[in-house]
Amino acid sequence: MPEMYIDRGIIHNSTLACFLLSLFAQKYELEDSEFPLDLLKLQMVLPFVWNDSCRKALEKRNARTRFNTVLREAPELKVDLEKRVSSHTAVTFQGLNLAVSSGIIEVTHATNEAPIIKFILERWPHGTKSALPSEMVTAVNRLANWYSDIDTPTLLKLLFGIPHEVSH
């Protein structure tokens, strides 16, 4: 019987996505946002966190700066964004699926509304957070801070709409 092929890159990427998205959900909740965390906001995490030039641009920004100002001062964040979001969608959902099936986060469904994501893990597995790349953790923390102040339609307009169209 032939040995089964396992693509370790996919497994590791999905696991990393699981923990980064879970960390994002945890930090988002700590910001005590009036806007619930939904799938569309989660889809806007990995395209920034897994892109080296975006991470470096985010790292230079002050966490207290408004996100629309960050985008105006660092236009490179929006370069090929639609393509990056599209290419990261599958791994975002794989990571989300791992997080839900592992009991780290839960997805609730309200009638006629988008699914809402909540961080439910009581305690991170030993060594998990410290094993995450620190520059990615920094980017996740900044994005959670900025996204928590913006509703999803406004975030999407800032990222994909006409530049400077939204003043928040």
Side-chain angles (χ1 to χ4, degrees), residues 12-22 46 50 91-92 94-96 99:
H12 294 301
N13 282 343
S14 297
T15 303
L16 180 59
C18 166
F19 288 120
L20 290 172
L21 293 171
S22 297
L46 296 181
W50 281 2
V91 75
T92 295
Q94 290 165 350
L96 183 59

Side-chain angles (χ1 to χ4, degrees), residues 89-157:
T89 296
V91 75
T92 295
F93 283 101
Q94 290 165 350
L96 183 59
N97 187 32
L98 275 174
V100 170
S101 61
S102 301
I104 300 172
I105 62 174
E106 72 177 359
V107 179
T108 58
H109 302 272
T111 307
N112 298 329
E113 291 184 23
I116 304 299
I117 290 85
K118 291 197 63 66
F119 182 82
I120 58 171
L121 187 68
E122 289 186 29
R123 188 167 179 225
W124 283 88
H126 181 71
T128 303
K129 285 171 102 175
S130 61
L132 296 173
S134 62
E135 67 278 3
M136 290 186 185
V137 169
T138 299
V140 162
N141 290 338
R142 295 231 165 90
L143 290 173
N145 175 52
W146 291 322
Y147 289 7
S148 68
D149 287 337
I150 307 169
D151 65 0
T152 301
T154 303
L155 176 65
L156 295 176
K157 285 180 185 176

